[in-house]
Structure formats: C-alpha cells, structure tokens
C-alpha cells in the first residue's frame, strides 16, 4: 500500500485525484535522501528502484501517467492528444491536461506547488507544477485558459496541494519584485526577514491571486507544508538531494 492525500474539494464524481506522499504503508520513512516512494528518475536515485515505485503506483491508476519533463516554464500540454500524435518519449512542460476518461495527468514536486484543476461539469482536468518561476510567468493562467477552451461550463475549480510554506520559503528581493511589479497586491504574500534583502514568500497566496486573476473563485487546500514534515514529504529546500512526490488526477 502506498500513502496518499485525497483532495477535499467539490470535484464532480467522475474526477479522481490524489497527492502521493513519500510514505509506503503509512509508516515513517528512513533518513536516506530517497527513502520511500520516490517517483522521479532525474534526481540521482537508482533507476530500477524508481521504476518499481512507479509500477507500484500504477496499481491504483487506470493507466500509467505520461510523466512530463518539467522546466519551471509556462507550457501546458494536452497529454491525451500528445500521446496519440507524438512518438517522443519526453514531453517538456509544466502542466498536464486531459479531456479523455482514463488519461492520468501528473506532476512531480518536492516543495513546488501542485495545483489540481477541473471544471464542475467533469469534462476537463489538469494539474500544474507551480514553483515561483512558473507562477510569475503565468503557468496557472495559461492552464486555466486552455481548460476553458474545451470545458462544457467554464466553471474551473482548484485544489492546492502540499508545498513549502511561507515559514520556510526564503527568497531574495529580486523574486519579490518579479511579483509586485506585475501586481502590487502580491506584496501581501511576502514578509520581511531580518536578513538584509531576504523575504519569506507564500506560494499558496501567490497561487490564489493568479487563480483569481484567471477567474477561478473556488480554491481549496493550500494548508500543508512539505518542508516541516520530513516523515511524510520530500523537500528540496530542506534536504537538497531528495525524491519527488506526485499530484495526479483523471476522469473516469
């Protein structure tokens, strides 16, 4: 058995979602950097172990996810179309979307924010990998706009999964300015540190602001910190070398 969090949001009955933690059988993991259910092949873990982890996860899914090569960018990919039109083993982007039942959208995270999206009609789903760079560049807005192109009702709802909280996410003045120059209201997502030129950033608040600007008013989650719980979550800021967890959703 693997351990996951089921989003608490009013998604329609045909939308299934989960956030997979690092734990197996809900037990405390060992102190090794990749101990537990690491799902990423690019972080230095043994490839065969990662493949075995992915196979274990697949038992709970209708089919294997089409894993993206994430680059902290703004590209959103319709993976159901990409799977039929491309023979490329890698899809480079930071959001996976689908309008076909059984196609599993997935992103890998270890402090960055996974944003799960669907419409209230249950006709489209998408999941976003939102670090500060992607948030600032518009990955959330891009994905919401893409989903609306095929949504039956355009009523998008969102769930914010576990990510590093503002208590631990230290950034420089240049990062704060990227957000506040775009929208002065983003200033409320930053709190001053005693250290010169350093701030604590609130990814959850920044994501809510971007969702609001995209016309998404139903936003849930956004209250679980990856950094502060090493037994349950991987955290890049906390550990450096570490595994990755996954946010996944699909339609039945």
């Amino acid at each position: 058995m693997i351990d996951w969090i089921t989003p608490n949001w009013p998604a329609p009955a045909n939308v299934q979602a989960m956030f997979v933690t690092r734990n197996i059988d809900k037990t405390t993991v060992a102190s090794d950097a990749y101990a537990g259910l690491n799902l990423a092949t690019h972080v230095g873990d043994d490839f065969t172990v990662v493949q075995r982890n992915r196979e274990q996860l697949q038992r709970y899914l209708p089919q294997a996810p089409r894993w993206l090569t994430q680059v902290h960018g703004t590209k959103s990919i319709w993976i159901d179309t990409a799977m039929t039109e491309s023979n490329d083993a890698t899809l480079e982007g930071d959001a996976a979307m689908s309008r076909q039942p059984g196609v599993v959208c997935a992103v890998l995270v270890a402090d960055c924010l996974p944003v799960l999206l669907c419409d209230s009609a249950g006709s489209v789903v998408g999941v976003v990998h939102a670090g500060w760079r992607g948030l600032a560049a518009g990955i959330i807005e891009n994905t919401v706009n893409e989903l609306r192109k095929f949504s039956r009702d355009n009523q998008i709802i969102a769930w914010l999964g576990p990510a590093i909280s503002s208590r631990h996410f230290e950034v420089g003045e240049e990062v704060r300015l990227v957000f506040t120059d775009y929208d002065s209201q983003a200033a409320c997502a930053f709190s001053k540190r005693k250290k010169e030129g350093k701030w604590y950033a609130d990814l959850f608040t920044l994501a809510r602001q971007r969702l609001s600007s995209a016309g998404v008013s139903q936003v849930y989650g956004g209250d679980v910190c990856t950094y502060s719980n090493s037994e349950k979550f991987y955290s890049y800021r906390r550990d450096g070398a570490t595994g990755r967890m996954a946010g996944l959703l699909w339609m039945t």
Side-chain angles (χ1 to χ4, degrees):
M1 292 279 297
I2 65 173
D3 177 44
W4 69 79
I5 295 169
T6 301
N8 183 16
W9 63 334
N14 71 315
V15 173
Q16 302 297 306
M18 60 197 301
F19 179 87
V20 181
T21 78
R22 70 182 295 179
N23 287 355
I24 301 174
D25 295 326
K26 301 184 184 295
T27 58
T28 302
V29 299
S31 59
D32 179 77
Y34 308 111
L37 196 77
N38 171 39
L39 297 167
T41 59
H42 67 285
V43 296
D45 197 3
D46 186 293
F47 182 81
T48 58
V49 172
V50 177
Q51 287 299 101
R52 189 161 60 244
N53 289 342
R54 289 184 173 187
E55 289 169 4
Q56 185 170 1
L57 170 63
Q58 191 176 332
R59 299 172 192 167
Y60 301 89
L61 306 173
Q63 62 178 256
R66 184 72 181 270
W67 301 102
L68 302 177
T69 298
Q70 299 168 190
V71 294
H72 294 275
T74 61
K75 187 176 182 180
S76 306
I77 299 174
W78 289 103
I79 58 168
D80 42 15
T81 304
M83 286 189 295
T84 58
E85 294 181 352
S86 174
N87 293 320
D88 190 354
T90 62
L91 291 174
E92 189 173 285
D94 286 273
M97 305 171 295
S98 173
R99 52 188 186 270
Q100 298 296 329
V103 177
V104 180
C105 300
V107 293
L108 295 169
V109 291
D111 283 339
C112 288
L113 176 63
V115 182
L116 277 59
L117 302 164
C118 71
D119 67 350
S120 59
S123 63
V124 290
V125 293
V127 58
V128 178
H129 163 242
W132 75 260
R133 291 178 179 84
L135 272 174
I139 183 63
I140 285 180
E141 295 95 319
N142 287 357
T143 308
V144 170
N145 290 337
E146 279 294 311
L147 291 173
R148 285 203 172 111
K149 291 178 182 178
F150 297 95
S151 169
R152 289 204 298 263
D153 66 6
N154 288 329
Q155 299 301 310
I156 306 298
I157 63 176
W159 181 77
L160 308 181
I164 190 170
S165 70
S166 60
R167 298 188 305 275
H168 305 289
F169 188 34
E170 181 184 290
V171 299
E173 173 71 6
E174 73 284 357
V175 174
R176 188 182 74 90
L177 289 176
V178 166
F179 286 96
T180 56
D181 285 350
Y182 177 84
D183 181 359
S184 60
Q185 294 186 27
C188 69
F190 296 87
S191 56
K192 185 72 172 176
R193 284 216 61 195
K194 292 181 179 180
K195 201 184 304 183
E196 185 66 29
K198 296 296 182 181
W199 299 79
Y200 283 127
D202 189 337
L203 283 177
F204 300 121
T205 295
L206 293 169
R208 288 189 180 95
Q209 289 176 339
R210 294 305 182 105
L211 285 162
S212 178
S213 70
V216 179
S217 59
Q218 295 186 71
V219 183
Y220 304 87
D223 55 1
V224 177
C225 176
T226 49
Y227 186 103
S228 59
N229 189 341
S230 60
E231 295 181 355
K232 197 174 188 71
F233 303 116
Y234 294 116
S235 168
Y236 179 77
R237 281 282 181 133
R238 182 187 64 226
D239 301 322
T242 194
R244 298 293 188 273
M245 304 162 292
L248 311 105
L249 79 167
W250 64 95
M251 293 181 291
T252 58

